[in-house]
């Protein structure tokens, strides 16, 4: 049976589409956004994760590791490059400070999980959302998962960067009730600098999807001094107004909570000290996107 790699399933989600939803997070992403809110979803493969604040430094994991891949440095466990994911260290850890990030799941297992939440969908206009990472890095599993939800009569939403071939998008359109797509930066050089990829594929896919009669919501994460600039937001607004139909946009305030996830995968967060915007600032950003010329 077809299977995919995920890193989380969030039940009773309320920010990933309408109503109460089950959000399935696919593992793997082609982008490397400096502010990524789900860094544990970047790698396509399962990986060992570590939580320092629950670790009692007993070093049992170090002694049990057959690859000699773990060490204690400055009060924290360091994970080397030779992990074979045997899970011996996870099994022996008394405080569950080590865990596997990512698992393989079959369509049958996914269906079982979804059915547990179906009672909430009808009463709240909810359903199932597929997010990531990037869902289109596992296009066949995505398509079959959407078909499954369609057969169950469930509302479906995709959250994507759209860094993919439009052929894959076209294949899932019959099974998707809403697309939620990011536009982060309009300037191609800036997009490559801060996400690791150029943006023409993304913008072209949005243009093409806008010719289809399917709900599409654009989201822009507001990152201080990067995406949250007058020029960038005005260019995004102008791009959306150039499309053949009206496309809604949602501006997402900067969320500093992502920083706490990076030590888990032993990566350093690059935007330390950045803060969310005030309501007044958010209102100004909204005006930029709308193209209101009197905003300074």
């Amino acid at each position: 049976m077809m299977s995919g790699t995920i890193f989380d399933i969030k039940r009773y989600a309320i920010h990933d589409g309408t109503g109460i939803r089950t959000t399935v997070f696919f593992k793997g992403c082609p982008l490397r956004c400096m502010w990524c809110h789900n860094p544990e979803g970047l790698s396509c493969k399962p990986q060992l994760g570590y939580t320092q604040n629950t670790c009692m430094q007993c070093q049992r994991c170090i002694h049990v590791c057959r690859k000699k891949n773990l060490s204690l440095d400055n009060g924290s466990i360091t994970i080397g490059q030779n992990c074979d994911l045997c899970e011996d260290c996870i099994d022996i850890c008394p405080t569950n400070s080590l865990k596997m990030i990512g698992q393989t799941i079959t369509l049958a297992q996914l269906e079982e999980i979804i059915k547990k939440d179906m009672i909430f969908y009808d009463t709240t206009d909810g359903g199932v959302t597929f997010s990531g990472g990037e869902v289109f890095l596992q296009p066949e599993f995505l398509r079959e998962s959407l078909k499954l939800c369609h057969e169950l009569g469930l509302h479906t939403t995709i959250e994507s960067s759209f860094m993919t071939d439009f052929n894959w998008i076209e294949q899932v359109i019959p099974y998707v009730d809403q697309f939620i797509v990011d536009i982060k930066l309009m300037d191609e050089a800036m997009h490559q600098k801060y996400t690791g990829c150029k943006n023409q594929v993304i913008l072209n896919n949005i243009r093409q999807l806008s010719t289809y009669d399917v709900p599409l919501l654009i989201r822009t994460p507001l990152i201080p001094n990067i995406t949250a600039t007058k020029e960038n937001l005005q260019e995004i607004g102008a791009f959306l107004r150039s499309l053949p139909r009206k496309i809604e946009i949602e501006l997402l305030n900067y969320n500093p909570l992502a920083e706490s996830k990076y030590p888990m995968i032993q990566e350093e967060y690059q935007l330390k000290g950045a803060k969310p915007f005030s309501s007044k600032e958010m209102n100004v950003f909204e005006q930029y996107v709308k193209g209101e010329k009197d905003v300074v």
Side-chain angles (χ1 to χ4, degrees), residues 20-81:
I20 295 176
R21 310 189 71 80
T22 302
T23 303
V24 183
F25 292 89
F26 283 34
K27 203 162 181 348
C29 185
L31 274 63
R32 290 297 181 270
C33 301
M34 185 179 289
W35 56 86
C36 180
H37 285 178
N38 291 321
E40 69 273 38
L42 293 175
S43 172
C44 294
K45 300 178 180 179
Q47 61 194 124
L48 185 63
Y50 168 68
T51 304
Q52 182 182 5
N53 61 13
T54 58
C55 177
M56 58 188 292
Q57 301 179 33
C58 66
Q59 302 187 48
R60 295 180 189 180
C61 57
I62 296 175
H63 299 311
V64 79
C65 181
R66 291 169 288 182
K67 294 284 187 176
K68 306 300 180 185
N69 193 54
L70 302 176
S71 60
L72 182 63
D73 302 296
N74 298 318
S76 177
I77 295 295
T78 297
I79 303 170
Q81 300 298 315

Side-chain angles (χ1 to χ4, degrees), residues 207-225:
R207 285 192 191 97
Q208 285 188 265
L209 186 64
S210 70
T211 65
Y212 288 77
D213 185 20
V214 58
L216 170 60
L217 172 66
I218 298 299
R219 281 180 172 171
T220 297
L222 295 173
I223 312 303
N225 303 314

